[in-house]
């Protein structure tokens, strides 16, 4: 049995007859969309099947496959909170991956010279 559907963006409620008419009017096949090409077998080579599916199940399955580092025997880094002006932080992040290491090296150089 088809029930009424009320889209979130509209106050109109569709009757079961209107819904069936829309289904009947829909094409059997959709024309090729160059912005959404068909998938290829290699697109699925790293796919993970998760019984039950859903976002949380997939997230959990991927987390199990993720490589993690072991704890450092003698930690060389110490977590600290540093406050930067927004434009400074944006500029540092814009330099790409490794920006925190470069800031650390710059601070070490500054300490040596002062």
């Amino acid at each position: 049995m088809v029930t009424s559907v009320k889209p979130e963006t509209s106050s109109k409620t569709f009757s079961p007859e209107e819904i069936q008419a829309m289904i009947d009017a829909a094409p059997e096949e959709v024309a090729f969309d160059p912005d959404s090409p068909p998938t290829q077998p290699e697109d699925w080579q790293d796919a993970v099947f998760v019984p039950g599916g859903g976002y949380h199940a997939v997230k959990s399955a991927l987390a199990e496959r993720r490589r993690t580092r072991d704890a450092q025997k003698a930690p060389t880094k110490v977590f600290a909170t540093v406050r930067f002006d927004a434009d400074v932080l944006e500029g540092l992040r814009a330099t790409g991956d490794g920006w925190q290491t470069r800031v650390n090296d710059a601070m070490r150089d500054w300490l040596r010279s002062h």
Side-chain angles (χ1 to χ4, degrees):
M1 179 176 156
V2 178
T3 59
S4 296
V5 176
K6 183 177 179 184
E8 291 181 29
T9 58
S10 173
S11 60
K12 177 168 174 47
T13 301
F14 296 99
S15 70
E17 294 79 20
E18 290 173 311
I19 293 172
Q20 189 60 50
M22 287 185 267
I23 292 171
D24 293 341
E28 288 296 318
E29 291 187 25
V30 178
F32 175 74
D33 180 359
D35 292 331
S36 181
T39 60
Q40 301 300 316
E42 57 269 14
D43 296 333
W44 298 97
Q45 68 186 16
D46 294 324
V48 177
F49 174 74
V50 180
Y55 170 77
H56 296 292
V58 171
K59 184 177 176 185
S60 173
L62 292 176
E64 290 174 11
R65 295 181 65 193
R66 187 174 297 128
R67 290 180 25 196
T68 58
R69 292 181 6 176
D70 293 331
Q72 296 177 346
K73 292 178 183 169
T76 58
K77 303 282 184 176
V78 176
F79 181 81
T81 300
V82 179
R83 297 172 61 94
F84 291 106
D85 289 335
D87 60 327
V88 172
L89 184 58
E90 182 180 331
L92 291 169
R93 287 181 174 162
T95 64
D97 289 343
W99 69 270
Q100 291 173 321
T101 300
R102 288 189 294 278
V103 169
N104 189 73
D105 294 342
M107 295 308 301
R108 181 177 292 115
D109 289 343
W110 185 88
L111 287 171
R112 284 186 196 132
S113 64
H114 290 81

